[in-house]
Amino acid sequence: MTTTLTDEQRAYLTDHMWAVLATGRKDGSPQVSMIGYVLDEEDRLVISIKSYTAKWKNALRQPHVAVMVHDGRANVTIYGTAECIDTDPLRAELTAEVFARLSGEERPDPTAIVPMLDEQQRTVLRITADKFLFNA
C-alpha cells in the first residue's frame, strides 16, 4: 500500500536533492549511503547508482528501504520499496533526469548517454513510499 505526499512534503522533497539511503545487508545489518535523488511525477524517489555497489545488491535482495532527507532538524523519512531498473530505455530516461537535477545543467539526451551508463555500470533505484514521516 502506498501513501500520498502532502503539498508541504512534496515541496520539501523538491527543494532538496541529497538524502541518506538505508538498505539491509545480507546479514541483516544496515548499510547507509549518501545519495542524490529526483522526485518524479508519481512522488517516487529516483536514484542513479552503480550496479557493483552494496546499495544496489542489497536492494535486489531485499527491496525494503528507508530514505531520510534532512535539513538541520527538519526532515522527511520515507519507508518504501525499491524497484531495480537496469534496462533501457527506462534506465537512460530516469538517469537523464537525475543527472540534470544534480548538475543543474540541461537534461541530456537519454539515447546519447547509454554508452556512458554501460561503461560506468549505472542503474536506477526507483523508490515507492509506503510511509512518510515529516518533521518540520
Side-chain angles (χ1 to χ4, degrees):
M1 176 178 156
T2 60
T3 188
T4 304
L5 282 171
T6 66
D7 290 340
E8 185 179 17
Q9 291 168 331
R10 188 174 295 106
Y12 182 90
L13 289 171
T14 301
D15 289 345
H16 293 80
M17 68 175 80
W18 299 104
V20 177
L21 170 69
T23 60
R25 296 176 192 240
K26 190 182 248 184
D27 67 2
S29 64
Q31 193 272 329
V32 181
S33 303
M34 182 68 135
I35 52 95
Y37 71 90
V38 169
L39 186 67
D40 75 8
E41 318 78 47
E42 296 179 37
D43 293 337
R44 297 173 297 193
L45 294 184
V46 178
I47 304 163
S48 174
I49 62 174
K50 296 179 179 178
S51 64
Y52 53 82
T53 62
K55 55 188 159 278
W56 173 259
K57 293 175 183 176
N58 293 342
L60 279 171
R61 184 179 52 259
Q62 171 51 269
H64 298 291
V65 300
V67 177
M68 177 184 272
V69 179
H70 72 91
D71 187 355
R73 293 180 59 100
N75 65 79
V76 171
T77 302
I78 301 161
Y79 297 97
T81 304
E83 174 187 5
C84 299
I85 300 167
D86 60 359
T87 57
D88 295 313
L90 185 57
R91 172 190 69 150
E93 290 170 9
L94 294 173
T95 303
E97 292 296 325
V98 173
F99 283 5
R101 165 72 190 226
L102 297 181
S103 70
E105 297 177 6
E106 187 174 316
R107 181 180 183 267
D109 174 8
T111 57
I113 65 172
V114 168
M116 182 265 304
L117 299 179
D118 290 341
E119 181 182 324
Q120 293 184 5
Q121 301 177 48
R122 287 212 163 265
T123 56
V124 171
L125 290 183
R126 185 166 57 184
I127 300 169
T128 301
D130 298 316
K131 183 177 181 179
F132 293 99
L133 300 175
F134 185 49
N135 298 302

